[in-house]
């Protein structure tokens, strides 16, 4: 996880780990992207690859 981990990035990382998309000890960098209407959109860089993930907005 990036050095400045927030609750939001921890939540996204935990979800990706549960789905088997992020290794338990793997380092990842998270960047919140603009444009999500009803969800947060994240760019995730891990294991030499980039992907996008979305998470519903908290109410």
């Amino acid at each position: 996880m990036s050095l400045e981990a927030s609750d939001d990035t921890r939540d996204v990382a935990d979800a990706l780990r549960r789905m088997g998309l992020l290794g338990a000890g793997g380092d990842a960098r998270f960047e919140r992207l603009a444009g999500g209407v009803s969800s947060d959109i994240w760019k995730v860089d891990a294991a030499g690859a980039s992907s996008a993930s979305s998470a519903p907005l908290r109410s």
Side-chain angles (χ1 to χ4, degrees):
M1 197 169 322
S2 65
L3 294 176
E4 297 179 21
S6 68
D7 287 342
D8 291 335
T9 58
R10 277 190 283 274
D11 290 346
V12 173
D14 289 345
L16 293 173
R17 285 187 185 103
R18 284 192 304 272
M19 291 183 280
L21 300 173
L22 183 62
D27 190 32
R29 176 172 293 193
F30 297 84
E31 177 184 350
R32 189 185 308 247
L33 302 176
V37 175
S38 61
S39 61
D40 284 331
I41 309 297
W42 294 89
K43 176 183 176 189
V44 182
D45 294 316
S50 294
S51 61
S53 177
S54 65
L57 292 175
R58 295 179 188 195
S59 47

